[in-house]
Amino acid sequence: MANSGLQMLGFILAFVGWVGLIISTAMPQWKINAYAGENIVTAQAIYQGLWMNCVTQSTGQMQCKAFDTLLSLPTILQGTRALMVASILLGLIAFSVSLIGMKCMKCMEDDLVQKMRMAIIGGVFFLVAGFAALVGTSWYGNDVARQFFDIYTPVNTRFEFGPALFIGWAAASLTILGGAFLCCSCPRSETTYPPSRPYPKSAPSSGKDYV
């Protein structure tokens, strides 16, 4: 019963983390520049994501523009894109495989060993997806921090961490934690010993002594 609860907890955590990865990848707020300048009327917030740039004026108007080309994008952006998309695809495979291996599902009930293996394989896929997303978000965040502390970067062009980056870190952590729970939820096979053979009973003595 405890293993079933751990398996369900791992599946829920991994699923929530996978959904968070999708949301983080689609959001444009990976890094933000909120430089106001001397005139607050002209203040604007600039957001940059993996797929587009957005500008929000002080009046509340927001305009977004998708990147026109792929090959001219910075290497950090292309690499983060690839890692996040790969983590989402791996999470989709992990969700499908681990769903089959869940103990609460009726699928493959006739082969419990294979069902257990499916749950473990799904957990491994979730682990790989989470680590891929963690590498992508950390790589992107390191580049943002490096440019922010670069003395040659103008103050009005320095970016800080955006909400999407924090969501990506949290989602990757949940995916890794859920995948680990799925891998650990299956019971270990216990060593079985052959049944002991009964010793033959001695015949009762008749009470007579023979010479």
Side-chain angles (χ1 to χ4, degrees):
M1 190 67 181
N3 289 324
S4 300
L6 184 63
Q7 187 184 66
M8 181 61 69
L9 177 61
F11 181 79
I12 292 175
L13 289 177
F15 177 74
V16 172
W18 177 59
V19 173
L21 293 179
I22 298 175
I23 296 174
S24 174
T25 304
M27 289 177 63
Q29 295 91 352
W30 275 67
K31 60 181 180 179
I32 178 175
N33 181 306
Y35 178 73
E38 298 179 356
N39 189 358
I40 193 64
V41 178
T42 61
Q44 61 182 10
I46 303 175
Y47 304 98
Q48 288 190 9
L50 301 180
W51 314 99
M52 64 184 68
N53 293 332
C54 295
V55 177
T56 303
Q57 304 293 338
S58 58
T59 57
Q61 183 181 5
M62 183 175 183
Q63 296 178 347
C64 295
K65 183 179 183 298
F67 296 123
D68 297 328
T69 181
L70 175 64
L71 299 179
S72 63
L73 293 176
T75 305
I76 179 70
L77 190 57
Q78 296 183 21
T80 306
R81 270 187 180 185
L83 288 170
M84 296 304 293
V85 172
S87 67
I88 293 174
L89 295 179
L90 289 171
L92 178 60
I93 297 174
F95 172 76
S96 304
V97 173
S98 59
L99 187 63
I100 298 175
M102 294 293 292
K103 296 179 181 179
C104 58
M105 299 296 292
K106 299 296 182 181
C107 183
M108 299 178 64
E109 279 188 332
D110 54 340
D111 193 349
L112 296 180
V113 176
Q114 189 66 23
K115 189 177 182 69
M116 179 180 64
R117 290 175 180 173
M118 295 294 286
I120 296 177
I121 293 174
V124 171
F125 271 105
F126 271 127
L127 285 174
V128 177
F131 279 115
L134 186 62
V135 170
T137 51
S138 300
W139 187 17
Y140 192 94
N142 177 72
D143 184 72
V144 173
R146 182 183 57 82
Q147 293 184 8
F148 181 85
F149 291 107
D150 190 356
I151 59 176
Y152 297 104
T153 303
V155 177
N156 59 342
T157 60
R158 293 180 179 179
F159 287 85
E160 299 181 6
F161 297 150
L165 202 55
F166 293 105
I167 295 176
W169 278 324
S173 302
L174 288 177
T175 306
I176 294 173
L177 186 62
F181 283 170
L182 280 174
C183 293
C184 299
S185 62
C186 297
R188 297 179 180 177
S189 58
E190 299 180 355
T191 305
T192 58
Y193 299 94
S196 59
R197 300 174 62 182
Y199 293 98
K201 295 181 179 179
S202 59
S205 177
S206 59
K208 294 181 180 180
D209 297 330
Y210 296 93
V211 180

